[in-house]
Amino acid sequence: MNITLPEAAEKIRAANKIILTAHIIPDGDAVGAVLAMYFALTSIGKEVFCFIDDTIRKNLLEMPSAEKIQRPSDGEKISADLLVVLDTSPDRIGKVKGITDAPILNIDHHVTNKGGDFDLYVEPSAAATCEIVFKLLQELDVKVTREIAVCLYTGMATDTGFFNYSNTTPMTLFTAAELVEAGVKPNEIAEQMEKKTFGDLKGLNAALQTTKLFFDGKVIGMFVARKYAKTLNTTEGFIDLIRVVDGADVAFLLTDKDENFCRVSMRSKGVDVSAIAKRLGGGGHVRAAGCTINKNMDEAKDILIKAIGEYMIEEGWLLPEEFLEDKETALDDFEYSESN
């Protein structure tokens, strides 16, 4: 059931023992929202537990009190008054859903979240769930401390490409300004989020060599083999290096994480990649989305390319003959000219 933000605040006020969670494959917005809510709710006397059923990348562990986020154990059970699911729908929280029978309050900004038999506040116009959390804390009369501000700013900055993406709105920038007033130093957060190990750099170099164009250059993809994926701290920023290629509307990063388990990130300049991700069991935003494909790298690649091509034909971005006759173009096959 869809509810208002004041109603969401009332449900939080009425609960004493609260579990906070977010989606698997956690990004800055997911982790930032959980930690900001942790600080806020403990400040008003709530007993709070934080769980995310996945590994959190090293950059994000630098956020204040990131160690409070635990990964649930098999069979773990906690009696709670409320399970707050942030930045995703409850079907993407892994084992966390099984640790409590508490009613669910879902707070999200993804247009693909259509709700269910739980209370949902969804605001697709918000650039990040952290932007919504900032407004929720106002409803709860919680003072935004520097710790809260750092978590919220990190989530907003990473979900907007540091305010470069099309989801950046006047409200996004206003909220960011309020967080800077509360003590955030944007340069420090940017440096932390952009930090990569030497191994990450080598992995990026290897991934760049795999970059290929599809559908006469309208789609560009990058592939991270498992031997590199297992050594990388993060692939954050990889896709941003290829999404800027002139003529390519859709960019994707396909990462071979494990046997029959590949992760997909997609970005676009116009195509609704959330619709493509949804067909593959994922979700996200119009311009940024993702999913997982439970196949090996070669099979996952074929499934993904087919899904992208078919959707782009349906929506008029591709002609059928471009899809049927496509020959992928690798960097080694690309001939430089002034027009390129």
Side-chain angles (χ1 to χ4, degrees):
M1 180 179 71
N2 286 76
I3 62 174
T4 65
L5 199 60
E7 288 172 334
E10 280 305 314
K11 292 185 178 297
I12 289 171
R13 287 193 188 95
N16 292 314
K17 195 172 183 180
I18 298 174
I19 297 173
L20 302 174
T21 192
H23 53 81
I24 58 172
I25 320 176
D27 57 9
D29 194 26
V31 177
V34 167
L35 291 174
M37 287 288 286
Y38 168 79
F39 283 114
L41 299 186
T42 54
S43 76
I44 57 175
K46 307 296 183 182
E47 185 178 2
V48 183
F49 299 85
C50 303
F51 290 99
I52 291 179
D53 188 21
D54 208 338
T55 302
I56 299 173
R57 68 176 188 265
K58 186 177 178 181
N59 306 57
L60 300 178
L61 291 174
E62 295 298 319
M63 275 192 267
S65 291
E67 72 279 0
K68 296 293 183 181
I69 301 177
Q70 303 298 310
R71 192 164 185 176
S73 304
D74 289 336
E76 187 170 3
K77 290 287 184 180
I78 295 177
S79 175
D81 302 314
L82 191 65
L83 171 62
V84 180
V85 178
L86 297 158
D87 199 40
T88 187
S89 55
D91 61 344
R92 294 192 67 233
I93 61 174
K95 295 177 184 176
V96 179
K97 197 170 183 180
I99 68 176
T100 184
D101 297 322
I104 294 173
L105 171 61
N106 188 192
I107 298 171
D108 194 10
H109 73 126
H110 293 102
V111 68
T112 50
N113 190 340
K114 301 303 181 184
D117 58 346
F118 49 85
D119 292 315
L120 169 67
Y121 178 78
V122 60
E123 188 178 332
S125 63
T129 295
C130 282
E131 185 177 318
I132 301 172
V133 170
F134 178 80
K135 293 190 287 186
L136 178 60
L137 300 192
Q138 292 178 317
E139 293 285 346
L140 292 168
D141 295 321
V142 171
K143 175 181 172 58
V144 175
T145 61
R146 183 182 180 279
E147 288 80 9
I148 292 174
V150 165
C151 297
L152 293 180
Y153 186 95
T154 300
M156 290 174 57
T158 52
D159 247 28
T160 59
F162 285 84
F163 312 103
N164 284 325
Y165 297 164
S166 60
N167 60 341
T168 304
T169 68
M171 179 55 70
T172 308
L173 296 175
F174 170 80
T175 304
E178 291 285 303
L179 298 175
V180 172
E181 283 283 344
V184 167
K185 294 182 179 179
N187 64 303
E188 292 182 357
I189 292 178
E191 289 166 8
Q192 179 58 41
M193 291 302 106
E194 292 169 354
K195 190 184 298 180
K196 289 180 173 57
T197 66
F198 186 61
D200 293 339
L201 196 63
K202 291 176 69 176
L204 172 58
N205 178 55
L208 281 170
Q209 305 311 308
T210 71
T211 304
K212 295 181 179 180
L213 294 170
F214 302 86
F215 308 126
D216 198 27
K218 293 183 174 67
V219 175
I220 187 167
M222 178 188 286
F223 305 86
V224 178
R226 194 185 312 171
K227 67 178 181 179
Y228 294 112
K230 286 186 174 298
T231 63
L232 291 172
N233 172 56
T234 180
T235 57
E236 188 73 16
F238 282 25
I239 197 169
D240 294 317
L241 295 177
I242 61 172
R243 66 182 289 272
V244 298
V245 170
D246 189 26
D249 190 88
V250 174
F252 68 82
L253 173 67
L254 182 62
T255 305
D256 187 2
K257 295 292 290 184
D258 210 335
E259 185 175 357
N260 292 325
F261 182 66
C262 294
R263 286 180 173 171
V264 178
S265 295
M266 289 183 282
R267 300 289 185 271
S268 85
K269 298 167 187 170
V271 173
D272 182 358
V273 288
S274 72
I276 300 170
K278 191 172 182 181
R279 293 184 179 189
L280 297 172
H285 312 284
V286 172
R287 303 288 181 267
C291 63
T292 60
I293 300 177
N294 295 316
K295 299 288 184 181
N296 63 45
M297 176 71 98
D298 289 338
E299 292 175 310
K301 172 189 170 184
D302 291 342
I303 291 169
L304 179 60
I305 293 299
K306 182 180 179 183
I308 292 172
E310 289 179 346
Y311 181 80
M312 291 179 73
I313 288 173
E314 291 172 16
E315 297 299 315
W317 293 91
L318 277 182
L319 297 174
E321 54 266 31
E322 290 178 301
F323 176 71
L324 294 172
E325 297 176 5
D326 176 66
K327 297 291 187 295
E328 62 189 48
T329 304
L331 287 179
D332 290 344
D333 303 325
F334 192 75
E335 295 181 3
Y336 178 80
S337 71
E338 289 300 323
S339 62
N340 289 334

